[in-house]
Amino acid sequence: MEKPERRPVPLAASLAGLRLIGAGAVLGLALAVPASSAQADPPRPPAATQDSSADDAPES
């Protein structure tokens, strides 16, 4: 089996390929990270629960 001839790759094409790989990695991280940190605030109880408990209390 013959080995294919090695062709030199221009530096600009090599750097462009590395930039593309880096951009894909950054995009992948950007899409993955906010899913876990999107709910930084604690969940609030529904507004209906707060209003109904305030109406049940007798006024003095």
Side-chain angles (χ1 to χ4, degrees):
M1 189 167 151
E2 296 180 17
K3 292 185 178 180
E5 292 183 23
R6 295 184 66 172
R7 293 182 290 153
V9 178
L11 181 62
S14 172
L15 291 176
L18 288 175
R19 282 192 208 114
L20 185 60
I21 292 170
V26 169
L27 180 62
L29 287 174
L31 291 175
V33 171
S36 62
S37 64
Q39 289 188 343
D41 295 334
R44 297 179 185 168
T49 305
Q50 291 176 350
D51 292 340
S52 63
S53 65
D55 293 339
D56 292 341
E59 294 182 12
S60 50

